[in-house]
């Protein structure tokens, strides 16, 4: 079984190197790492990091392709190199030295784990400090999605609303043959939920692995973009996601939901409440109406 780990660097080489250090110390060293740089200003610091302990491939994009575009670049390379499993791993994570060995024992039925082999998409648990995120949960007609602690996952009413969190998502090579790559219209946010919804429609199994935890510094990379821009992405992508993936009643509700969002933000601007954030949200709705997807430009 060949495992390829893909991580994206964007102006956060220190985080990426910390992750690479944790991968260098693995007891099982039979895996590949593809580091995709999204046109960072600090990329030279990352490129200077070399180790004979880990098979690292560096790819430098000439522009910022976001989460989906950056990962797609790495996925293509991994599949070209013969990967059986691809692990999308945030660069602001780090793992224990037995991580690879334990992961293979679960994925590979020939490893003698007694658990049988897995296929499809597998979500890994993210230790976010104050909680462990076991899975994501879709909320229709909401600008954000939520991460569920392990204790709440069993209480999720509909398994159809659970998805593998993109910060630590394992994907078997056969999945890409069936449904293709990540949707690059998003650029940032909702791509993981979208990919899992597309997989579920194709009857691809989605499972969750709680016993192997990955440490995660929440939003260490995206917070650098600024809260207003993040709000703009959230609202634009939420509208796109709901119209694309929601059941019929949700698809029909997207338009009046967008009107309600705009009215609420206009009222806030008039009364002088959180004007900058409201303007960003209005821009996000406007982007969706205008079909401005991918990376946003002011």
């Amino acid at each position: 079984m060949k495992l390829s780990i893909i991580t994206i660097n964007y102006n956060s080489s220190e985080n990426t190197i910390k992750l690479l250090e944790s991968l260098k110390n693995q007891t099982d060293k039979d895996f590949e790492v593809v580091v995709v740089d999204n046109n960072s200003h600090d990329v030279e610091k990352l490129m200077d990091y070399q180790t004979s302990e880990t098979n690292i491939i560096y790819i430098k994009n000439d522009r910022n392709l976001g989460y989906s575009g950056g990962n797609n670049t790495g996925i293509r390379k991994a599949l070209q190199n013969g990967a059986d499993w691809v692990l999308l791993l945030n660069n602001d994570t780090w793992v224990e030295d037995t991580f690879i060995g334990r992961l293979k024992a679960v994925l590979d039925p020939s490893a003698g784990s007694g658990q049988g082999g897995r296929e499809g998409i597998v979500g890994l648990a993210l230790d976010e400090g104050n909680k462990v995120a076991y899975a994501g949960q879709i909320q229709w007609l909401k600008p954000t999605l939520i991460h569920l602690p392990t204790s709440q996952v069993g209480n999720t009413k509909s398994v159809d609303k659970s998805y593998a969190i993109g910060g630590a998502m394992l994907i078997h090579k056969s999945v890409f043959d069936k449904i293709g790559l990540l949707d690059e219209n998003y650029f940032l946010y909702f791509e993981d939920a979208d990919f899992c919804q597309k997989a579920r429609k194709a009857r691809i199994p989605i499972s969750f692995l709680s016993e192997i935890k990955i440490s995660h510094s929440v939003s260490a990379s995206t917070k650098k973009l600024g809260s207003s821009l993040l709000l703009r992405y959230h609202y634009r992508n939420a509208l796109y996601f709901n119209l694309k993936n929601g059941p019929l009643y949700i698809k029909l509700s997207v338009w009046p939901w967008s009107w309600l969002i705009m009215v609420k933000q206009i009222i806030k601007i008039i009364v002088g409440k959180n004007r900058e954030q409201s303007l960003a949200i209005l821009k996000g709705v406007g982007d969706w109406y205008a079909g401005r997807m991918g990376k946003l430009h002011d």
Side-chain angles (χ1 to χ4, degrees), residues 137-146 190 234-235 238 257:
Q137 184 176 28
I138 293 168
Q139 300 182 103
W140 298 121
L141 303 181
K142 298 286 186 181
T144 59
L145 306 174
I146 61 173
F190 284 88
H234 269 298
Y235 277 82
W257 179 45

Side-chain angles (χ1 to χ4, degrees), residues 85 103 106-107 115 118-126 132-138 146-150 152-154 156 158-166 168-170 192-193 196-197 199-200 204-213:
W85 282 94
L103 190 59
V106 176
L107 295 179
Q115 300 183 47
R118 290 181 182 247
E119 58 181 1
I121 298 173
V122 181
L124 303 183
L126 285 168
V132 177
Y134 177 62
Q137 184 176 28
I138 293 168
I146 61 173
H147 290 176
L148 293 173
T150 305
Q152 294 183 14
V153 172
T156 304
S158 174
V159 70
D160 290 343
K161 289 186 177 181
S162 298
Y163 65 91
I165 299 170
M169 178 164 58
L170 265 166
D192 46 6
C196 287
Q197 285 296 103
R200 190 168 278 116
I204 293 170
I206 300 172
S207 58
F208 302 94
L209 189 61
S210 62
E211 57 266 36
I212 303 176
K213 296 179 178 63

Side-chain angles (χ1 to χ4, degrees), residues 9 13 16-17 20 35 42-49 58:
N9 181 71
S13 289
T16 305
I17 290 171
L20 294 177
V35 180
D42 66 346
V43 66
E44 294 307 321
K45 181 177 181 180
L46 175 61
M47 299 299 289
D48 288 340
Y49 177 84
Y58 291 107

Side-chain angles (χ1 to χ4, degrees), residues 228-229 231-237 239-240 262 279-298:
S228 295
L229 182 57
L231 278 172
R232 187 174 171 183
Y233 276 113
H234 269 298
Y235 277 82
R236 183 201 67 177
N237 290 353
L239 289 162
Y240 176 71
M262 289 189 289
L279 285 172
I281 292 170
L282 286 175
K283 285 182 180 180
V285 176
D287 292 327
W288 175 69
Y289 270 98
R292 287 190 291 266
M293 304 305 294
K295 185 179 180 181
L296 292 172
H297 303 276
D298 289 326

Side-chain angles (χ1 to χ4, degrees), residues 168-183:
M169 178 164 58
L170 265 166
I171 309 168
H172 191 266
K173 63 180 181 180
S174 62
V175 175
F176 302 112
D177 293 333
K178 294 177 182 177
I179 65 173
L181 303 177
L182 298 166
D183 186 344

Side-chain angles (χ1 to χ4, degrees), residues 2-295:
K2 183 169 182 179
L3 172 66
S4 183
I5 298 174
I6 298 169
T7 193
I8 299 173
N9 181 71
Y10 180 65
N11 296 334
S12 54
S13 289
E14 290 185 4
N15 286 330
T16 305
I17 290 171
K18 181 178 179 180
L19 168 61
L20 294 177
E21 280 291 311
S22 71
L23 292 172
K24 181 185 73 174
N25 296 324
Q26 293 299 300
T27 53
D28 183 334
K29 300 183 184 300
D30 185 18
F31 62 97
E32 173 186 86
V33 181
V34 180
V35 180
V36 180
D37 182 78
N38 268 341
N39 196 29
S40 302
H41 61 67
D42 66 346
V43 66
E44 294 307 321
K45 181 177 181 180
L46 175 61
M47 299 299 289
D48 288 340
Y49 177 84
Q50 298 289 340
T51 173
S52 59
E53 303 295 327
T54 307
N55 182 16
I56 304 175
I57 298 171
Y58 291 107
I59 300 176
K60 293 172 64 176
N61 289 327
D62 59 5
R63 58 193 175 94
N64 186 359
L65 299 179
Y67 174 89
S68 46
N71 273 309
N72 284 344
T73 299
I75 291 167
R76 292 187 188 97
K77 184 63 176 179
L79 295 177
Q80 179 184 336
N81 289 353
D84 298 301
W85 282 94
V86 171
L87 171 59
L88 306 185
L89 194 59
N90 272 14
N91 76 319
D92 53 2
T93 62
W94 61 97
V95 296
E96 296 181 351
D97 57 10
T98 57
F99 170 71
I100 296 294
R102 294 175 64 199
L103 190 59
K104 285 185 177 180
V106 176
L107 295 179
D108 190 353
S110 66
S113 65
Q115 300 183 47
R118 290 181 182 247
E119 58 181 1
I121 298 173
V122 181
L124 303 183
L126 285 168
D127 187 346
E128 299 176 344
N130 59 336
K131 72 176 187 297
V132 177
Y134 177 62
Q137 184 176 28
I138 293 168
Q139 300 182 103
W140 298 121
L141 303 181
K142 298 286 186 181
T144 59
L145 306 174
I146 61 173
H147 290 176
L148 293 173
T150 305
S151 59
Q152 294 183 14
V153 172
N155 298 325
T156 304
K157 293 182 179 179
S158 174
V159 70
D160 290 343
K161 289 186 177 181
S162 298
Y163 65 91
I165 299 170
M169 178 164 58
L170 265 166
I171 309 168
H172 191 266
K173 63 180 181 180
S174 62
V175 175
F176 302 112
D177 293 333
K178 294 177 182 177
I179 65 173
L181 303 177
L182 298 166
D183 186 344
E184 296 187 18
N185 278 327
Y186 290 99
F187 185 79
L188 183 67
Y189 296 128
F190 284 88
E191 304 97 323
D192 46 6
D194 179 273
F195 191 74
C196 287
Q197 285 296 103
K198 187 162 58 170
R200 190 168 278 116
K201 290 175 183 177
R203 300 185 181 279
I204 293 170
I206 300 172
S207 58
F208 302 94
L209 189 61
S210 62
E211 57 266 36
I212 303 176
K213 296 179 178 63
I214 296 171
S215 299
H216 182 215
S217 299
V218 183
S219 300
S221 298
T222 56
K223 65 183 180 182
K224 296 179 181 179
L225 296 175
S227 60
S228 295
L229 182 57
L230 298 186
L231 278 172
R232 187 174 171 183
Y233 276 113
H234 269 298
Y235 277 82
R236 183 201 67 177
N237 290 353
L239 289 162
Y240 176 71
F241 173 82
N242 278 265
L243 186 61
K244 179 182 177 182
N245 295 289
L248 180 59
Y249 78 95
I250 292 296
K251 294 179 186 290
L252 295 175
S253 301
V254 168
W255 306 100
W257 179 45
S258 70
W259 304 333
L260 178 61
I261 292 171
M262 289 189 289
V263 169
K264 288 176 65 176
Q265 302 312 314
I266 290 171
I267 292 173
K268 287 182 179 180
I269 291 172
I270 292 173
V271 301
K273 182 180 180 182
N274 298 325
R275 186 175 184 275
E276 183 180 354
Q277 289 85 346
S278 292
L279 285 172
I281 292 170
L282 286 175
K283 285 182 180 180
V285 176
D287 292 327
W288 175 69
Y289 270 98
R292 287 190 291 266
M293 304 305 294
K295 185 179 180 181

